[in-house]
């Protein structure tokens, strides 16, 4: 204990001074019932790292406050740093508890974004990629590997938004916060811990929380910093050395790094990078609470309530020991008043200037145009959407936001630290199936990023069933109010519907239907809200299809051939908030399109055709399509959605029944259905729809039950000469699927049983790993 004595003009001898100090000490000792330490007792709190398990700290702090235990200093590492920083910034326990139980915090922990902050019009077309390597000039293969599992873009924004006012109120000195604060990061290059005592709270917490390979590291003052838990996961020594508290209360869920296992690469990495000295108590008065979190994993952020309760109960078990060391109490009213006085220093989050770092002059111009040049002061809330829009751009790898308070104006300067995405992308993927529809995928993308931006992409699918080659160039013309991009592309597609039962090593028969198309395309995409886009396009295509008029053909038979050369003009409105490319279970998708087709058909009959003469026909039609998918109900682990689709067309018949079926729009709501040619689900005009039931067995393991009905307005059939005619009395047809789906990091793994009405073999069982996705088709 240090006792301060006011000096006056009277100078006393040293002995007299000592006597006076002793008398004062005795006086205060008796005045406060013989317990002088109780008056000046200072309590330091230490919170360990631990990911989701560190949510016990909320229960720990909550129980301490309920018992009026004082908290004078606080320090932490990783998630302990995040909770400690919020407490030091003046958040109440109730506010913190509400935050960590919010859907937004769950999204932060998982690296997800709310649908309102996803920008569909900026996204490229989906493909079957499972893994992507990224390169820039001069790099080697190790630089192309991914360094983190999740994107911290939402976390970075929320930390900045939630801590910047406290930063400014404390004048960027952690000792001047509501509660003096310390946090720890790790400098792996220098093999040492880094203690943050001043600067930006959100930057310090973000560096301290950078769990290796889960979050990307932060560079501060030239040093690349990682999770402080690598070297000091329970910084009791830092809190003691910096603050010299009389009593230290700790909550610790950290342990030694697990022993490396031969078949566990993650345990090997932890053992290599984590070095933790044995924890020793730096002073006599220390109580460390160790909640039981054996049932909670580091990334089990869906068990926050369980962790908070574990911390609360463990603290309750230790409260008598704590009270025996601490006589001083701080009431709820005193804490509330102190928070109130600290928050009075908060300045409104009004931004007077926006700065962009990390890019050259021309690239900064592109970003400023995307954000919109803003005149005058703007509330921070108005910059949230531009921040996420910049992050969504495929030329940008990361964005880190910072607010700096300007004491002369009472406003903030916003700084976006942007890391440019690498130039070259190489992607691999495809699908591996129990049917012979296995397909490989390789993609290449090159970014050109200057004052304007362009993307050159090429890909190829290769397999027995589907093959494709695509080359395209997209030019982005960006602005905040009316961003557009212009695409030009060339695509070749082939679908081979061979007559085969399925099986891995089956000797397949000749193709029943072989579809080929080649087309060039020019398109303009315009933003229609954050989740929608309007696409206007013109295509010139050449289709050449080969097929048999019956499925009872021989290898010596020759196929019919239909060539179709046409121009297509199409306008599409597409709004998509679905959470996955395939097997979605959340969100909506609305597609409205209007297409005009004009072209010439040439048909040459084969040996299975009743007709023998070649024909040439002119065709011209308009087709409109509306498709809507909506997952509208969630009850616990159950989700219900529906799909509805309608097509209306003035399309006429081609030369024969098969060619007319090929040219007609198809309804293919089940993933596997796109791999079959089923004429009963094709028509010029139709209405169709069905229900999608999803049972969430675990977060990534789902059971799906789907059922659909298709009703053609004039089913395409044929007469005795093989000529197409309408059957206006045909009944509706149905299809259904039951699937177990695991959403792996490399794509969906599924086992499904599927039923198709009026198919020769109505039931199928399919195992598939990867995406069954095709390049854009002129037939759609």
């Amino acid at each position: 204990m240090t006792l301060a004595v006011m000096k006056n003009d009277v100078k006393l001898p040293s002995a007299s001074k000592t006597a006076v100090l002793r008398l004062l000490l005795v006086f205060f000792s008796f005045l406060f019932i013989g317990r002088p330490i109780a008056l000046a007792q200072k309590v330091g709190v230490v919170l360990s790292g631990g990911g989701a398990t560190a949510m016990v700290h909320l229960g720990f702090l909550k129980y301490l406050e309920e018992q009026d235990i004082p908290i004078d200093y606080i320090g932490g590492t990783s998630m302990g740093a995040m909770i400690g920083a919020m407490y030091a910034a003046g958040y109440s326990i109730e506010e913190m508890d509400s935050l960590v139980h919010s859907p937004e915090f769950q999204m932060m922990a998982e690296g997800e974004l709310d649908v309102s902050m996803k920008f569909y019009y900026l996204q490229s077309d989906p493909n079957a990629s499972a893994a992507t390597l990224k390169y820039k000039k001069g790099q080697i293969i190790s630089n192309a590997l991914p360094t983190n599992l999740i994107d911290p873009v939402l976390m970075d924004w929320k930390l900045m938004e939630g801590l910047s006012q406290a930063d400014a109120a404390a004048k960027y000195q952690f000792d001047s916060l509501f509660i003096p604060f310390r946090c720890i990061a790790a400098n792996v290059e220098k093999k040492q811990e880094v203690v943050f005592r001043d600067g930006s709270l959100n930057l310090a917490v973000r560096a301290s929380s950078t769990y290796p390979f889960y979050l990307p590291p932060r560079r501060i003052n030239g040093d690349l910093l990682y999770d402080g838990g690598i070297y000091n996961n329970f910084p009791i020594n830092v809190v003691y050395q910096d603050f010299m508290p009389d009593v230290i209360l700790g909550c610790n869920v950290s342990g030694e790094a697990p022993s490396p296992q031969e078949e566990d690469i993650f345990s090997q990495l932890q053992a290599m990078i984590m070095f933790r000295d044995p924890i020793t108590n730096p002073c006599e008065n220390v109580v460390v609470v160790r909640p039981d979190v054996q049932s909670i994993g580091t990334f089990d952020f869906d068990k926050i309530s369980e962790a908070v309760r574990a911390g609360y109960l463990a603290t309750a078990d230790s409260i008598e020991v704590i009270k025996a060391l601490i006589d001083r109490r701080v009431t709820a009213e005193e804490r509330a008043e102190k928070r109130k006085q600290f928050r009075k220093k908060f300045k409104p989050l009004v931004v007077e200037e926006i700065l962009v770092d990390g890019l050259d002059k021309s690239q900064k111009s592109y970003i400023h145009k995307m954000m919109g040049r803003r005149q005058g002061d703007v509330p921070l809330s108005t910059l949230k959407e531009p921040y996420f829009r910049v992050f969504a751009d495929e030329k940008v790898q990361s964005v880190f936001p910072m607010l700096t308070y300007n004491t002369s104006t009472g406003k903030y300067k916003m700084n976006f630290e942007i890391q440019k995405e690498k130039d070259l992308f190489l992607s691999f993927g495809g699908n591996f199936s129990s049917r012979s529809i296995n397909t490989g995928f390789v993609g290449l993308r090159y970014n050109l990023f200057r004052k304007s931006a362009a993307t050159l992409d090429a890909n190829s699918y290769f397999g027995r069933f589907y093959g494709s080659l695509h080359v395209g160039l997209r030019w982005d013309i960006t602005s905040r109010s009316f961003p557009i991009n212009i695409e030009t592309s060339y695509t070749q597609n082939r679908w081979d519907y061979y007559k085969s039962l399925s099986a891995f090593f089956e000797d397949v028969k000749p193709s029943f239907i072989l579809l080929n198309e080649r087309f060039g395309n020019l398109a303009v995409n315009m933003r229609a809200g954050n989740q929608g886009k309007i696409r206007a396009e013109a295509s010139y295509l050449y289709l050449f299809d080969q097929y048999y008029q019956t499925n009872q053909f021989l290898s010596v038979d020759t196929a019919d051939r239909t060539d179709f050369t046409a121009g297509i003009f199409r306008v599409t409105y597409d709004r998509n908030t679905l959470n996955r490319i395939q097997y979605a279970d959340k969100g909506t998708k609305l597609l409205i399109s209007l297409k005009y087709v004009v072209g010439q058909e040439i048909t040459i009959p084969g040996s299975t055709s009743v007709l023998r003469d070649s024909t040439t026909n002119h065709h011209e039609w308009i087709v409109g399509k509306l498709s809507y998918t909506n997952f509208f109900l969630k009850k616990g682990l159950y989700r219900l959605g529906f799909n509805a689709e309608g097509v209306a067309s003035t399309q006429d018949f081609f030369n024969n029944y098969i060619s007319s079926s090929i040219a007609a729009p198809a309804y293919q709501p089940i993933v596997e259905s796109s791999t079959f040619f089923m004429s009963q689900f094709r028509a010029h005009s139709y209405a169709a729809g069905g229900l999608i039931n999803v049972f969430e067995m675990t977060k990534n393991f789902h059971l799906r039950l789907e059922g659909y009905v298709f009703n053609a307005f004039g089913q395409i059939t044929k007469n005795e000469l093989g000529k197409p005619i309408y059957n206006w009395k045909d009944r509706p047809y149905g299809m259904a699927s039951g699937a177990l789906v695991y959403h792996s990091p490399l794509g969906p793994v599924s086992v499904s049983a599927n039923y198709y009405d009026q198919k020769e073999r109505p039931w199928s069982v399919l195992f598939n790993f990867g995406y069954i996705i095709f390049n854009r088709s002129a037939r759609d």
Side-chain angles (χ1 to χ4, degrees), residues 380-396:
L380 177 66
S381 58
T382 64
L383 297 176
K384 184 176 182 179
E385 183 181 299
Y387 164 76
F388 286 99
R389 187 187 307 124
V390 169
F391 172 75
D393 193 284
E394 294 178 339
K395 272 74 69 182
V396 171

Side-chain angles (χ1 to χ4, degrees), residues 623 647-649 651-653 660 663-665 682-686 714 716 726:
V623 57
V647 171
S649 173
Q651 185 173 357
D652 57 352
F653 291 124
S660 296
R682 291 172 174 262
H684 294 150
S685 299
Y686 65 80
I716 301 174
Y726 286 126

